[in-house]
């Protein structure tokens, strides 16, 4: 039996945006508008997998060596939840 302390709920989800990306297309690095979207962004992959890159700039983000990057493969039919630091402190992009 899973403890409820491991699950976070998002009672104020009130918007759905659907984007279709063809194979080889991506989207640039960004943080979704904080005033338009609250905590708890969901990304769902359907037909194909994608590679999502997360970037957290450090003090000197102009120098490439000071940017922390993490590549995450999301296979088809997967769900990624961006909340907390992942939502607000990291940019995300779909790698083309």
């Amino acid at each position: 039996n899973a403890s409820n302390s491991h699950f976070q709920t998002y009672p104020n989800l009130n918007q759905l945006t659907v984007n279709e990306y063809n194979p080889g297309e991506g989207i640039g690095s960004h943080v979704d508008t904080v005033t338009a979207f609250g905590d708890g962004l969901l990304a769902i992959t359907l037909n194909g997998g994608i590679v999502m890159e997360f970037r957290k700039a450090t003090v000197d983000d102009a120098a490439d060596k000071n940017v922390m990057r993490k590549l995450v493969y999301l296979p088809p039919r997967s769900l990624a939840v961006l909340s907390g630091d992942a939502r607000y402190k990291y940019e995300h992009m779909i790698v083309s």
Side-chain angles (χ1 to χ4, degrees), residues 39-92:
D39 197 19
L41 296 175
L42 309 176
I44 299 171
T45 61
L46 298 175
N47 272 345
I50 61 165
V51 174
M52 188 170 272
E53 178 180 296
F54 295 89
R55 299 172 47 140
K56 182 177 182 184
T58 58
V59 176
D60 180 15
D61 61 359
D64 219 28
K65 65 183 179 192
N66 290 327
V67 176
M68 296 186 331
R69 290 187 171 94
K70 180 70 176 178
L71 297 175
V72 178
Y73 176 67
L74 300 175
R77 298 173 306 279
S78 63
L79 170 68
V81 179
L82 307 181
S83 68
D85 284 355
R87 160 69 175 104
Y88 295 108
K89 293 184 180 181
Y90 286 80
E91 294 181 350
H92 60 276

